[in-house]
Amino acid sequence: MSETIHVIGGGLAGSEAAWQAAERGFQVRLYEMRPGRRTPAHETGGFAELVCSNSLRAEGLQNAVGLLKEELRLGRSLIMEAADRTRVPAGGALAVDRDLFSKHITARLENHPLVEIMREEVSSLGEEMMILATGPLTSEAMASELHALTGSEHLYFYDAIAPIVEAESIHWERTFSASRYGKGGDDYVNCPLTQAEYERFLQELLAAEKMPAHAFEKERVFEGCMPIETLAERGADTLRFGPMKPVGLVIPETGEQPYAVVQLRMENRHGTAYNMVGFQTKLKWPEQTRVFRLIPGLEDAAFLRYGSLHRNTYLCTPAVADPFLRLIAKPNVILAGQISGVEGYVESTAMGWLAGVNAARLISGKPPVVPPAETAHGGLADHVTRSSPSSFQPSNINFGLLPALRSKIRNRRLRYEAISARALEAWRTFLAGLETDDRGPA
Ligand SMILES: Cc1cc2nc3c(=O)[nH]c(=O)nc-3n(C[C@H](O)[C@H](O)[C@H](O)COP(=O)(O)OP(=O)(O)OC[C@H]3O[C@@H](n4cnc5c(N)ncnc54)[C@H](O)[C@@H]3O)c2cc1C
């Protein structure tokens, strides 16, 4: 294996990965197909172009994405350096001047003595140390290569994401645990609706505001991934024959079948978050809060992640990669960014950071690392490598991906701050260990 690390894709993840590897003293070759070959969303040839919003979302340690950004800053992230230098006023969020942001990153990479930039599309994966960071709009040639390597059942082109609710915000007394016809024990939490509650919910769902689709997204959506509101448009009872089907379920107190039901499934091993089964949606975020809080038991629901549906190329990482995100079929390839099953600019950057660190370690004969589970980086890595492959869905960072605190804190803001404090302590220790280890012999 040569001493060069090959990074494919100069987006958020690839730029960060290339920077981390080069800063550790390794020669990096960074491949980016733009501007010669475009994606349906990028408009420039710059690195780390933000394809949609110019916001890297909330700041502050009461937010999981604020914590993730803080960890990246401590890890000397290039993307965070650019974001902090090019920020524009945005209240409690970190928004940037997208043009200056991309120009800063491009200049830093172009001027790094160890980074060589190749403006070309990569269509096959060789035997060298590689980081694959081709993103949600991976070129067709690379998608075919991945298809051949991992099998079609492990490569997806769409996200159909259902909302996730924080366990502590659910009114458990209004729900009951049971699986349909008693099959599978008490795995599902059921929110029963009366006829009047169902009709009100349907009315508000149909009237709610939806996100517009990008032109290149107006393609066929699989029947199993239909947005809940599209199903609702088909008829008053369609949801009752689909995701809100009440058959096989009985309310324990009354012994009766509910008129309709919303099922929640545990989202993580810690039991701190629940997924709304079959509730993928294109409703705008505030509308999801308003309409889904009409569901009995969810009146005060705190949404850790909102539902969405969009074009996204990603792998079923828990099935095709090892705990260090190396492809099982080709262990010289490390996955990074959105293709690994995370969602969002900051999350993609974080997975790029980790890939850059691990590629540098591996090429110098050191074992790869997994960040501690208590950190936001660790939570994301855990999600993409240890989720059940059969129900794997891409995820934003949220506190539900981190283990619960040992002691209960009822106030949500204080609870999140305590989780963040614990995370930063673990992250600092992890970074200090890495630094000592990186200086030592292989
Ligand atoms: C339309 C759209 C809107 C989005 N909006 C948001 C948003 O508002 N906020 C948010 O947080 N997230 C958003 N995302 C999600 C996502 O976080 C971003 O797309 C993010 O840029 C992903 O980072 P990445 O590095 O994995 O991929 P990208 O940033 O897309 O980088 C991948 C790079 O690889 C290049 N490439 C692809 N194939 C090849 C190849 N074969 N050879 C060489 N180069 C190649 C591409 O040109 C691109 O530059 C959006 C995604 C899409 C598709």
Side-chain angles (χ1 to χ4, degrees):
M1 200 179 271
S2 80
E3 289 294 299
T4 302
I5 295 169
H6 299 255
V7 179
I8 310 169
L12 276 303
S15 299
E16 187 65 51
W19 182 257
Q20 292 303 328
E23 283 289 278
R24 281 165 174 75
F26 296 91
Q27 188 68 45
V28 172
R29 198 168 287 166
L30 174 57
Y31 299 82
E32 172 51 59
M33 67 179 187
R34 293 176 291 117
R37 207 179 172 92
R38 306 278 290 268
T39 78
H42 291 84
E43 287 180 355
T44 72
F47 290 115
E49 179 185 329
L50 302 176
V51 287
C52 187
S53 158
N54 66 333
S55 171
L56 273 61
R57 319 209 302 281
E59 285 275 46
L61 297 177
Q62 314 80 30
N63 283 288
V65 74
L67 169 65
L68 187 61
K69 287 199 282 283
E70 202 48 38
E71 289 183 6
L72 280 165
R73 285 189 183 102
L74 291 168
R76 299 199 195 98
S77 152
L78 172 63
I79 300 293
M80 288 311 302
E81 175 192 287
D84 287 334
R85 291 201 189 169
T86 62
R87 69 186 300 157
V88 294
L94 173 57
V96 301
D97 176 319
R98 69 177 73 236
D99 197 33
L100 293 179
F101 172 78
S102 171
K103 281 190 173 133
H104 179 92
I105 292 159
T106 306
R108 292 287 264 163
L109 289 167
E110 279 175 351
N111 293 327
H112 199 293
L114 293 177
V115 178
E116 184 187 359
I117 289 166
M118 314 290 286
R119 292 284 182 177
E120 60 189 65
E121 179 184 3
V122 178
S123 51
S124 62
L125 297 167
E127 301 306 318
E128 305 91 343
M129 174 65 70
M130 289 192 166
I131 294 174
L132 183 70
T134 45
L137 305 169
T138 291
S139 73
E140 266 180 45
M142 183 53 77
S144 305
E145 170 77 349
L146 291 171
H147 182 279
L149 265 177
T150 64
S152 58
E153 71 277 23
H154 294 133
L155 180 66
Y156 305 111
F157 294 98
Y158 280 92
D159 263 357
I161 289 185
I164 292 178
V165 177
E166 192 189 20
E168 294 231 7
S169 70
I170 298 171
H171 288 283
W172 295 98
E173 71 286 357
R174 298 215 58 191
T175 69
F176 63 96
S177 296
S179 293
R180 286 202 174 92
Y181 301 110
K183 286 182 195 154
D186 286 351
D187 288 353
Y188 288 87
V189 173
N190 300 281
C191 305
L193 287 89
T194 61
Q195 184 170 356
E197 285 166 341
Y198 176 79
E199 283 168 1
R200 165 100 201 280
F201 172 73
L202 195 64
Q203 192 186 352
E204 294 300 326
L205 180 65
L206 289 170
E209 259 193 282
K210 284 127 203 135
M211 300 278 272
H214 292 269
F216 62 88
E217 288 180 328
K218 286 181 187 146
E219 295 172 38
R220 192 168 69 90
V221 175
F222 299 110
E223 197 66 18
C225 305
M226 275 290 161
I228 189 96
E229 61 278 7
T230 309
L231 285 176
E233 280 164 12
R234 291 181 175 178
D237 283 326
T238 309
L239 289 180
R240 292 209 313 125
F241 287 96
M244 295 180 76
K245 191 164 59 183
V247 293
L249 292 166
V250 171
I251 303 172
E253 291 90 62
T254 61
E256 285 174 8
Q257 180 179 298
Y259 187 75
V261 77
V262 173
Q263 290 202 301
L264 308 176
R265 187 178 50 221
M266 203 186 273
E267 176 63 21
N268 57 13
R269 280 172 287 121
H270 317 300
T272 53
Y274 281 77
N275 189 304
M276 296 177 67
V277 181
F279 264 57
Q280 53 273 6
T281 176
K282 289 202 77 136
L283 255 52
K284 289 190 167 171
W285 288 6
E287 291 288 79
Q288 293 188 34
T289 305
R290 185 179 68 79
V291 177
F292 297 157
R293 280 188 178 168
L294 295 173
I295 297 166
L298 302 187
E299 294 85 346
D300 295 306
F303 291 91
L304 292 169
R305 178 185 82 184
Y306 287 97
S308 67
L309 201 99
H310 55 230
R311 164 97 182 266
N312 186 15
T313 310
Y314 69 99
L315 284 160
C316 183
T317 301
V320 304
D322 72 6
F324 309 103
L325 285 107
R326 292 178 294 193
L327 276 182
I328 293 164
K330 230 175 190 327
N332 59 305
V333 178
I334 306 178
L335 302 176
Q338 190 130 333
I339 200 156
S340 71
V342 296
E343 176 81 27
Y345 298 149
V346 188
E347 291 83 346
S348 297
T349 302
M351 300 316 279
W353 184 94
L354 186 58
V357 167
N358 274 335
R361 289 181 63 82
L362 284 162
I363 212 160
S364 52
K366 291 182 174 143
V369 289
V370 180
E374 297 81 12
T375 64
H377 278 74
L380 280 176
D382 188 77
H383 174 75
V384 299
T385 59
R386 295 183 64 194
S387 293
S388 161
S390 59
S391 57
F392 182 60
Q393 281 191 326
S395 185
N396 280 128
I397 184 64
N398 62 70
F399 284 121
L401 298 183
L402 276 56
L405 294 169
R406 276 178 201 278
S407 51
K408 269 197 180 293
I409 301 178
R410 288 217 67 79
N411 179 291
R412 191 177 302 149
R413 189 186 166 93
L414 295 179
R415 182 165 68 248
Y416 289 166
E417 283 175 357
I419 295 175
S420 289
R422 179 187 65 176
L424 288 178
E425 197 185 328
W427 182 248
R428 284 195 177 94
T429 309
F430 170 71
L431 290 180
L434 264 187
E435 230 171 284
T436 313
D437 199 32
D438 282 350
R439 276 200 302 270

